[in-house]
Amino acid sequence: MMEEKKLICHKCQKELELKKTNFSYLGHIFFTEVPRCPECGLVFISEDLVKGRISEVEMQMEDK
Amino acid sequence: MLLSLVNKDVIDDKHIELSYKSGCMVCGAELIYNKTEINKTCYYCGETRPSNSYCVNNHFVCDKCHEANPIENIKRICISCSETDAAVLMQTIRSHKAFPIHGPEHHSLVPAVILTSLRNSGYAITEEQILVAIRRGQTISGGACAYLGACGAAIGAGIAFSILLDANPYDGKMRQIAQQATASVLSDIASYCAPRCCQRDAWIALKAVSKLLKKDMDLILPVGEIVCQQYRFNKECIHEECPLWVTSMDNYIILYKTWSVCPICMKRLPAERVHRGEQVYLQKTCKEHGSFESIIWRGYSSFNEWVNNSDQPALESPNCPDGCGLCSDHLQKTCCVILNITNKCNLNCHFCFADCDNSNDEPTFEEIQESLSKLIVKGKTLVQLSGGEPTMRNDLPEIIKAAKDLGAKYVQLNSNGIRLSEDKEYVRKLAEAGLSFVFMQFDGTDDAIYKSLRGKPLLKVKQKAIENCAEHNIGVTLVPTLVRGVNTHNIGDILRFAISEAPKVRGVHFQPATFLGRVPEKPTNDERFTLDELIFEIQKQTNGIIKSENLLPSACDHPLCGFHGDFIVDQNKVISLLKRDKTEKSCCCSPVAADKNREFVARRWQRPPVTNTSMDSSSGNLDDMEFFLNRVKTHGFTVTSMAFQDAGNIDFSRLRNCSLHVYDKGKFVPFCSYYLSGWKQ
């Protein structure tokens, strides 16, 4: 599982930390926690998140 | 559409929006954002500036005009524009959203547009003279027409003359001409016995000034005609008495050629959608029975933007409605199927499209099962069990179960709610059988409405039915039939009631009364309640809790057939999930539109399975993705409408796009075709 692995920022060589991050979609903003580099701010969006919660948000928000 | 991700530039709470959309200030259309700047000319002030953005209709509004207040706008536009027609210039300035339809700004506007139009026609008028005119206009107080006994537009005309003549109080001749001009203009304005209308008075002033300038000074001031666009928003409008009111029956624009029927003999007829003033009518002529016209749009919003070029060219020789049963000319697939399972009813309503006669003639369970087996596409179909009143049947639970067993994805019950309120055990059986949701007739929050439409008080019955359905987690969508003068004033209260009952109530589905089946009498245009009027009333009667911009044209049927809005109810607040993009094409002709629509309505109207986590009292944050996803499932709320057609307003372009089909004798027939009935002469 992704959660069990350490994620290291390739550029800064720092371990990513879970941080609240904002997403925008069709004029709405949502936040959730995702791994982020404490140095450069790069976030890692996992496939699980994209195929799970994010695609669910997309489905709920999309017009018919 | 992909979700925009805010990634490497994010700093905790800071949000960076990757693409920003906002409607055009002039027409509301989508804005185009270019990477590079190009020179564009401002719609209001006419100045050319480099810009990255303009709308798809090529409107550009410069930043200063975008921000300016009304007086600043008069100054900016008059100084830089090149318009020579004073009426056109006046309306351009007045079209700015910050400009009020009435108000003392008009006192500056009148002399400013007179001088500006003259300058633009080649006369020697300086910028300073225009600014002086505006300043002098500002000295005339609001309501001068009544409180000072002289309309500010007339005094504004006098200001223009004064500046042109360089008049001063010592100069008897110039002072006389300026005052005579004011008196003459004032006389024209005062010839109307009417409440103030700054548009009318300002236009009358311009017209009068144009004549006086020609007579006294041999100057040409072009002043064109104005067709009033604002009368809907002007409570004191004098309508036919106003010179800006278009009344001529011959004065119309053909928007679209289509087909309809004669409402008397039901013969197929060519028909036209025509714009007359702000209103849109469907008109047609039967050689035998004469001409007919039905209002289809009252002009509360732009008809063309709503329809958005959704029509296919009309067929040369259509087969509608006689050949209905989904022929190759039909443009839409089936979204929902109606199956009538009885003709019996426990009400005797004044309005009933089904015109049910309470006969005992109803299909057997086996016949219904046979129909279900033919109409259901496994894992896909949304079947609406209808009638008559379907709960008159004791075997309704078995019918629902049969539909589910045959693979129907959703089973909807169309009901007046009487039995649902009286028979809890029956409701339990319906739920156990797999009923997905209920469409319940709900005409208002006042028993006088029910007495008028249904013949008896029913409000408590409806409330009890909602409670009984909630006990078994059956979502209820309220369906008001809107009849002008009976419950059209109650739209806001219906919505407030429904919102307060969320999540038991899943939404409101408005049906403006259609003159199909059993109706009290042949309709007049005054009785018709158009979609744009409904949208306007929703926003007005909810005090903007539900805004018109959050209600979108039907994507599954023709835009004139309905609208939908998608919301979340959170602590009695209603948050919209949809925003209207007026330029986005309706996907009427998309083969997947019916499928998408079915899933859209079903995921809102069906309550999610009960879980241990109660989300009923919200204390969470809707920005939290997790909370949002839970909340939207439990407390999603729709505001929808369907405007059915009758023999007066049936339009084959709409019919060809219908996705609501009645299943009968092996055929899927568009709803409005199935129930179409002629009027008595």
Side-chain angles (χ1 to χ4, degrees):
Chain A
M1 289 292 286
M2 182 272 293
E3 287 78 4
E4 292 162 5
K5 293 179 189 169
K6 275 187 179 178
L7 291 167
I8 307 294
C9 174
H10 183 69
K11 184 176 148 198
C12 311
Q13 293 302 303
K14 298 271 183 179
E15 186 178 343
L16 304 193
E17 299 166 354
L18 276 182
K19 283 280 181 186
K20 194 166 87 171
T21 301
N22 291 320
F23 294 74
S24 86
Y25 185 58
L26 293 176
H28 296 263
I29 303 164
F30 305 100
F31 62 78
T32 194
E33 289 200 329
V34 293
R36 183 173 78 92
C37 172
E39 188 80 17
C40 69
L42 184 78
V43 295
F44 175 73
I45 310 293
S46 71
E47 192 176 338
D48 284 354
L49 182 64
V50 172
K51 289 186 174 171
R53 287 291 184 247
I54 290 177
S55 85
E56 257 194 89
V57 168
E58 227 181 77
M59 190 190 80
Q60 292 292 348
M61 297 285 298
E62 283 277 6
D63 187 13
K64 57 184 180 176
Chain B
M1 203 179 283
L2 287 174
L3 193 73
S4 306
L5 298 178
V6 181
N7 47 29
K8 60 185 174 186
D9 295 319
V10 77
I11 305 166
D12 280 353
D13 296 332
K14 192 175 173 188
H15 159 250
I16 299 164
E17 203 162 26
L18 296 182
S19 65
Y20 171 75
K21 277 187 181 178
S22 172
C24 168
M25 193 170 172
V26 178
C27 69
E30 187 181 351
L31 296 179
I32 295 167
Y33 290 91
N34 276 333
K35 284 184 181 171
T36 53
E37 291 185 332
I38 52 173
N39 280 335
K40 301 297 292 180
T41 302
C42 175
Y43 175 83
Y44 292 110
C45 68
E47 282 197 11
T48 301
R49 297 163 189 274
S51 173
N52 295 79
S53 67
Y54 51 92
C55 91
V56 293
N57 296 323
N58 211 22
H59 295 132
F60 162 68
V61 179
C62 72
D63 286 347
K64 286 185 179 170
C65 280
H66 209 281
E67 294 159 6
N69 70 33
I71 292 293
E72 283 307 308
N73 247 353
I74 298 173
K75 288 181 192 169
R76 285 183 39 70
I77 295 171
C78 287
I79 287 167
S80 55
C81 78
S82 57
E83 179 59 56
T84 53
D85 186 313
V88 172
L89 177 56
M90 179 177 91
Q91 292 304 77
T92 302
I93 295 170
R94 293 183 77 253
S95 70
H96 193 282
K97 68 180 178 186
F99 210 97
I101 63 171
H102 307 300
E105 297 82 357
H106 291 79
H107 306 163
S108 293
L109 180 64
V110 168
V113 299
I114 292 169
L115 297 180
T116 303
S117 298
L118 288 172
R119 180 203 62 192
N120 294 343
S121 297
Y123 298 107
I125 307 287
T126 65
E127 182 178 313
E128 183 52 27
Q129 284 177 309
I130 295 171
L131 294 176
V132 167
I134 293 169
R135 281 200 295 274
R136 289 188 190 175
Q138 285 182 277
T139 64
I140 311 166
S141 58
C145 54
Y147 299 130
L148 307 186
C151 169
I155 305 175
I159 291 171
F161 270 84
S162 165
I163 290 171
L164 288 168
L165 297 164
D166 200 16
N168 70 67
Y170 289 133
D171 188 330
K173 182 65 185 165
M174 298 304 140
R175 181 174 170 273
Q176 182 184 40
I177 298 173
Q179 290 199 86
Q180 282 174 339
T182 304
S184 177
V185 173
L186 191 58
S187 172
D188 283 3
I189 292 171
S191 68
Y192 287 86
C193 174
R196 64 84 185 85
C197 170
C198 291
Q199 177 182 250
R200 181 189 68 233
D201 294 338
W203 181 80
I204 291 170
L206 295 182
K207 276 284 184 192
V209 166
S210 180
K211 282 185 194 163
L212 290 169
L213 284 174
K214 176 69 185 150
K215 181 167 74 75
D216 296 343
M217 302 171 75
D218 200 27
L219 300 179
I220 305 295
L221 176 72
V223 179
E225 304 301 311
I226 293 174
V227 174
C228 181
Q229 312 275 322
Q230 65 179 40
Y231 60 92
R232 287 280 160 209
F233 310 101
N234 178 16
K235 280 192 288 188
E236 297 84 22
C237 177
I238 56 173
H239 303 289
E240 290 84 358
E241 305 300 320
C242 177
L244 309 184
W245 183 265
V246 176
T247 53
S248 168
M249 293 294 280
D250 300 326
N251 188 4
Y252 62 81
I253 302 163
I254 297 174
L255 297 172
Y256 177 71
K257 293 193 173 186
T258 182
W259 290 87
S260 186
V261 297
C262 168
I264 307 299
C265 65
M266 302 299 278
K267 263 187 211 151
R268 196 174 300 136
L269 297 175
E272 292 161 339
R273 285 185 214 146
V274 299
H275 233 303
R276 192 175 300 132
E278 279 302 284
Q279 304 184 332
V280 181
Y281 297 83
L282 184 81
Q283 63 180 31
K284 54 200 174 182
T285 301
C286 172
K287 282 180 187 167
E288 196 178 340
H289 298 105
S291 295
F292 301 88
E293 61 161 30
S294 298
I295 192 160
I296 54 178
W297 201 261
R298 291 196 182 271
Y300 286 93
S301 58
S302 163
F303 178 84
N304 289 335
E305 279 176 12
W306 184 265
V307 173
N308 199 17
N309 296 320
S310 298
D311 294 290
Q312 297 279 321
L315 295 168
E316 282 186 17
S317 55
N319 200 23
C320 324
D322 309 339
C324 272
L326 297 200
C327 69
S328 58
D329 290 325
H330 201 75
L331 297 170
Q332 188 53 277
K333 297 200 169 187
T334 304
C335 172
C336 306
V337 192
I338 293 175
L339 184 67
N340 291 323
I341 59 172
T342 186
N343 218 6
K344 294 179 190 167
C345 188
N346 44 7
L347 285 175
N348 186 19
C349 305
H350 296 147
F351 280 83
C352 178
F353 64 77
D355 195 14
C356 49
D357 55 7
N358 264 321
S359 68
N360 284 325
D361 180 26
E362 64 179 20
T364 64
F365 175 77
E366 287 72 25
E367 285 167 338
I368 291 170
Q369 204 173 26
E370 173 75 9
S371 293
L372 287 169
S373 70
K374 286 181 179 158
L375 71 89
I376 287 170
V377 178
K378 276 188 184 169
K380 209 169 177 181
T381 298
L382 189 163
V383 61
Q384 300 185 12
L385 300 176
S386 199
E389 170 54 41
T391 60
M392 297 295 281
R393 291 188 73 120
N394 290 326
D395 61 356
L396 183 59
E398 288 76 23
I399 294 170
I400 292 168
K401 185 170 186 310
K404 294 295 281 187
D405 288 348
L406 286 161
K409 191 165 181 184
Y410 308 104
V411 181
Q412 173 183 318
L413 169 63
N414 297 342
S415 172
N416 59 30
I418 292 175
R419 187 161 184 189
L420 302 179
S421 74
E422 292 169 347
D423 193 343
K424 278 188 173 188
E425 180 60 13
Y426 186 73
V427 178
R428 185 187 65 76
K429 286 181 185 169
L430 298 180
E432 277 182 8
L435 179 62
S436 307
F437 35 83
V438 174
F439 247 41
M440 188 175 76
Q441 182 191 81
F442 186 95
D443 301 313
T445 58
D446 180 347
D447 266 332
I449 293 168
Y450 292 100
K451 284 181 194 166
S452 172
L453 285 182
R454 312 295 170 190
K456 56 168 90 168
L458 289 168
L459 183 57
K460 281 186 181 155
V461 167
K462 307 289 179 181
Q463 288 168 316
K464 184 70 180 160
I466 293 167
E467 291 306 321
N468 289 349
C469 288
E471 271 187 32
H472 298 282
N473 207 38
I474 300 171
V476 178
T477 294
L478 308 183
V479 186
T481 300
L482 294 174
V483 180
R484 187 185 298 284
V486 176
N487 60 350
T488 44
H489 64 285
N490 195 234
I491 289 167
D493 284 340
I494 292 170
L495 283 163
R496 274 184 282 275
F497 171 81
I499 291 162
S500 73
E501 291 290 316
K504 294 175 280 187
V505 169
R506 312 299 297 167
V508 180
H509 183 76
F510 291 103
Q511 295 182 344
T514 311
F515 301 88
L516 289 167
R518 184 162 68 235
V519 294
E521 56 193 48
K522 194 167 75 176
T524 63
N525 276 332
D526 286 345
E527 286 172 296
R528 291 191 182 274
F529 199 65
T530 59
L531 268 191
D532 62 318
E533 192 173 9
L534 171 56
I535 292 167
F536 178 80
E537 288 296 329
I538 287 174
Q539 172 159 329
K540 184 176 131 196
Q541 292 186 30
T542 61
N543 298 322
I545 292 169
I546 294 172
K547 294 185 174 59
S548 56
E549 69 199 43
N550 300 135
L551 302 171
L552 277 59
S554 176
C556 181
D557 303 288
H558 192 281
L560 292 173
C561 292
F563 61 75
H564 63 283
D566 195 16
F567 303 87
I568 299 181
V569 176
D570 189 43
Q571 294 174 321
N572 270 345
K573 278 191 301 186
V574 185
I575 297 132
S576 172
L577 296 175
L578 300 179
K579 288 181 180 167
R580 191 185 304 170
D581 178 351
K582 290 174 179 169
T583 58
E584 193 173 301
K585 290 276 182 224
S586 154
C587 51
C588 280
C589 302
S590 158
V592 296
D595 292 344
K596 282 181 81 176
N597 184 53
R598 189 185 311 115
E599 292 305 315
F600 170 85
V601 294
R603 75 172 173 251
R604 292 289 179 261
W605 294 342
Q606 187 167 36
R607 298 189 70 177
V610 180
T611 59
N612 291 332
T613 317
S614 169
M615 303 297 289
D616 278 4
S617 59
S618 163
S619 56
N621 183 351
L622 273 177
D623 291 345
D624 179 347
M625 194 180 281
E626 200 70 29
F627 182 79
F628 168 81
L629 282 171
N630 281 320
R631 190 77 185 173
V632 76
K633 286 173 196 163
T634 57
H635 287 68
F637 187 89
T638 61
V639 178
T640 52
S641 173
M642 183 147 279
F644 295 119
Q645 305 179 84
D646 54 49
N649 61 12
I650 192 162
D651 176 335
F652 289 4
S653 179
R654 290 177 58 184
L655 199 59
R656 288 175 70 202
N657 280 294
C658 176
S659 71
L660 174 62
H661 302 148
V662 180
Y663 183 83
D664 191 16
K665 300 183 184 75
K667 284 185 173 180
F668 290 88
V669 184
F671 182 95
C672 297
S673 173
Y674 186 83
Y675 288 107
L676 192 65
S677 52
W679 297 342
K680 286 172 190 153
Q681 204 165 5

